[in-house]
Amino acid sequence: MHNFEFYNPVRIIFGKNSIKKIPNFIDKNFKILLTYGGGSIKENFIYEEVKNTLANYNIVEFGGIEPNPKYETLMKAVKIARNESIDFILAVGGGSVIDGTKFISAAIDFDGDPWDILSRHASVKSAVPFGTILTIAATGSEMNEGAVISCAKTNEKLVFKSEKVFPQFSILDPQTTFTLPKKQTVNGIVDAFIHVLEQYLTKQVNSPLQDKQAEAVLKTIIEESPKVLENPKNYEARANIMWCATNALNRTLGVGVVQDWSTHMIAHELTALFKLDHARALSLILPSLLRIQKEEKADKLYLYGKEIWNLKGTKNTVIKEAINKTEEFFRNMDVKTRISEYDIPQKELQIIPALFKERGIKLGENKDIDAEKIAKILENAY
Ligand code: NZQ
Ligand code: ZN
């Protein structure tokens, strides 16, 4: 196992009706900026419950944070927060609202142009404290310090990380996810599953605990997904999926092991260019990437095939079948795994390897996925 440091200060408040507990965690005198997305919280019980629970607080609202939150939208919130002297932000939504709120919280006090936080990884020295109410089990943003922000002007999707943007608390009430459209439930399942694989399907470093934790999350997702898809109001299954998604990316699975993240990096470009949902872009890249990297990842793919898909046979057969099973798992939930299934002309994909070449970035746990390999991954994924 490699050396590591682990720090995660996020208080998780999990369970039925936990929104009612928020006043225990926000100072009564704080002026709150309430951030949310396109309005789903007004179609279920969430908005009303939040407003009732916080009836005695001074609240300013900022709705309209879109999926794949845009820098341009978020800067409007920054302006409001500055003018209103906001003390605390409450993000109510999924990964997009939470990520957007992380950026808002970092940008409010930022000395300089907040764009630098994204474009140049400028260090964030302070951030306005915030909490979250999660409404979709997917990204793990509710318990980590990362955010992914899109820029409409440059067509980029950029990642930033800072310890200053850990949420102070996250409310996880599985009932909030009952109203998710099937497509979004599935997106969350696929995203969480791939988060685990990005940290698990790399190389052996003698980390049996992390391996078994990763396998536990994967197995639980596989067992619980059909239950939520069959009955979206199955509380127990929603609760299990929600806790899986949080654990998939609260960084515990990644400690001391070698991580990949190349599927995410390539998929972010697909989303930026062709407006695909985050998870729908990941599912196009992962199978192709695993097939191309199967020798580098052989030991872990073999372990994955045996432990997760109960495969038997030679190492090569198990690896081949394990990748097929992964693709089948996605396809069984109506998730596409070929780029050509979308209206995306193959020649337009060329821009992606060119971008990575220009940035001088190589991806993967061995930093061996260069522009040429990215082109091959995209070609095979088509
Ligand atoms: O905007 P509203 O109206 O709320 O609707 C949302 C949105 O349209 C809807 N929704 C959310 N909760 C709902 C609901 N509809 C009905 N009932 C509910 N309870 O679902 C749609 C998608 O929401 P979004 O927040 O975009 O989904 P998700 O949580 O999958 O977040 C995706 C974003 O997170 C980033 C992605 O890149 C993407 O921008 N990621 C963040 C990560 C992180 N911070 O660690 C890691 C991930 O890999 C990922 O990159
Ligand atoms: Zn993801």
Side-chain angles (χ1 to χ4, degrees):
M1 196 195 305
H2 291 189
N3 293 357
F4 67 87
E5 279 182 27
F6 180 69
Y7 171 67
N8 193 321
V10 184
R11 180 192 300 273
I12 296 292
I13 303 139
F14 192 100
K16 250 179 209 167
N17 306 327
S18 42
I19 292 177
K20 292 197 169 65
K21 296 180 183 163
I22 314 178
N24 298 338
F25 306 103
I26 310 179
D27 188 302
K28 299 280 174 297
N29 300 312
F30 277 179
K31 189 170 187 183
I32 302 174
L33 180 70
L34 181 70
T35 52
Y36 54 92
S40 70
I41 62 164
K42 291 188 174 165
E43 283 156 28
N44 49 35
F45 73 98
I46 304 171
Y47 178 80
E48 209 182 320
E49 178 122 337
V50 171
K51 291 289 276 196
N52 289 340
T53 307
L54 298 179
N56 296 327
Y57 285 83
N58 188 354
I59 297 180
V60 177
E61 292 190 22
F62 185 84
I65 298 180
E66 57 280 272
N68 304 306
K70 286 198 190 77
Y71 168 78
E72 291 83 353
T73 306
L74 304 171
M75 285 308 290
K76 291 183 191 156
V78 171
K79 197 170 164 202
I80 294 172
R82 284 175 177 161
N83 288 343
E84 297 278 349
S85 303
I86 291 298
D87 303 300
F88 192 89
I89 313 177
L90 182 62
V92 188
S96 295
V97 173
I98 299 175
D99 283 8
T101 300
K102 287 176 179 175
F103 179 75
I104 297 166
S105 118
I108 292 172
D109 287 343
F110 189 74
D111 185 14
D113 183 353
W115 174 242
D116 289 350
I117 300 172
L118 302 172
S119 63
R120 299 201 291 136
H121 301 290
S123 132
V124 174
K125 304 236 160 42
S126 71
V128 172
F130 68 96
T132 87
I133 299 175
L134 183 68
T135 66
I136 164 168
T139 64
S141 186
E142 66 278 7
M143 200 176 170
N144 70 40
E145 77 300 30
V148 192
I149 308 298
S150 298
C151 176
K153 207 167 100 191
T154 59
N155 239 349
E156 285 171 294
K157 206 172 171 202
L158 302 166
V159 179
F160 93 96
K161 278 189 192 172
S162 166
E163 281 190 4
K164 303 285 180 208
V165 298
F166 274 116
Q168 289 208 335
F169 64 78
S170 283
I171 305 267
L172 274 60
D173 178 348
Q175 296 174 119
T176 60
T177 63
F178 285 179
T179 53
L180 278 169
K182 182 177 175 219
K183 184 180 177 217
Q184 295 300 343
T185 299
V186 168
N187 281 358
I189 290 167
V190 170
D191 192 22
F193 197 84
I194 296 180
H195 289 162
V196 181
L197 297 187
E198 296 271 28
Q199 300 163 91
Y200 169 75
L201 281 185
T202 56
K203 48 188 172 190
Q204 291 280 14
V205 290
N206 197 1
S207 53
L209 175 63
Q210 293 91 317
D211 290 350
K212 289 185 172 69
Q213 285 174 320
E215 287 154 9
V217 179
L218 294 173
K219 281 184 194 166
T220 311
I221 292 176
I222 293 167
E223 284 164 16
E224 299 296 303
S225 303
K227 299 181 196 166
V228 290
L229 295 174
E230 194 191 308
N231 175 11
K233 294 197 164 65
N234 179 335
Y235 178 85
E236 295 298 328
R238 285 285 192 190
N240 289 324
I241 288 288
M242 198 171 222
W243 193 225
C244 277
T246 302
N247 277 276
L249 200 50
N250 65 3
R251 314 280 183 217
T252 47
L253 304 181
V255 298
V257 303
V258 181
Q259 304 187 29
D260 181 348
W261 296 106
S262 48
T263 296
H264 268 71
M265 296 308 286
I266 303 170
H268 283 334
E269 299 304 335
L270 271 183
T271 294
L273 290 168
F274 305 107
K275 314 297 165 221
L276 298 176
D277 290 353
H278 173 61
R280 308 273 157 172
L282 296 172
S283 64
L284 301 175
I285 301 300
L286 182 82
S288 168
L289 185 135
L290 292 180
R291 287 187 181 109
I292 286 181
Q293 293 296 91
K294 65 178 187 301
E295 260 137 49
E296 289 77 1
K297 293 177 181 291
D299 291 342
K300 284 313 245 333
L301 274 168
Y302 184 43
L303 183 68
Y304 168 67
K306 288 188 296 182
E307 292 299 324
I308 302 301
W309 300 110
N310 301 316
L311 298 169
K312 297 195 170 55
T314 65
K315 194 169 178 180
N316 280 345
T317 335
V318 167
I319 290 175
K320 194 167 160 233
E321 265 311 293
I323 302 172
N324 291 343
K325 284 275 183 194
T326 311
E327 196 169 358
E328 197 180 299
F329 175 56
F330 298 155
R331 295 200 76 88
N332 285 342
M333 294 186 289
D334 290 332
V335 173
K336 297 180 169 74
T337 54
R338 298 282 157 180
I339 303 173
S340 54
E341 293 176 84
Y342 290 95
D343 185 18
I344 297 176
Q346 192 165 12
K347 64 176 185 326
E348 287 186 23
L349 296 172
Q350 289 167 1
I351 186 171
I352 297 177
L355 269 173
F356 284 99
K357 191 166 198 165
E358 189 187 307
R359 293 178 193 150
I361 298 174
K362 289 187 188 169
L363 305 174
E365 62 271 24
N366 306 310
K367 296 280 166 272
D368 62 343
I369 304 185
D370 57 11
E372 262 170 49
K373 233 182 206 180
I374 294 171
K376 188 85 194 140
I377 289 165
L378 289 164
E379 188 188 323
N380 291 4
Y382 197 79

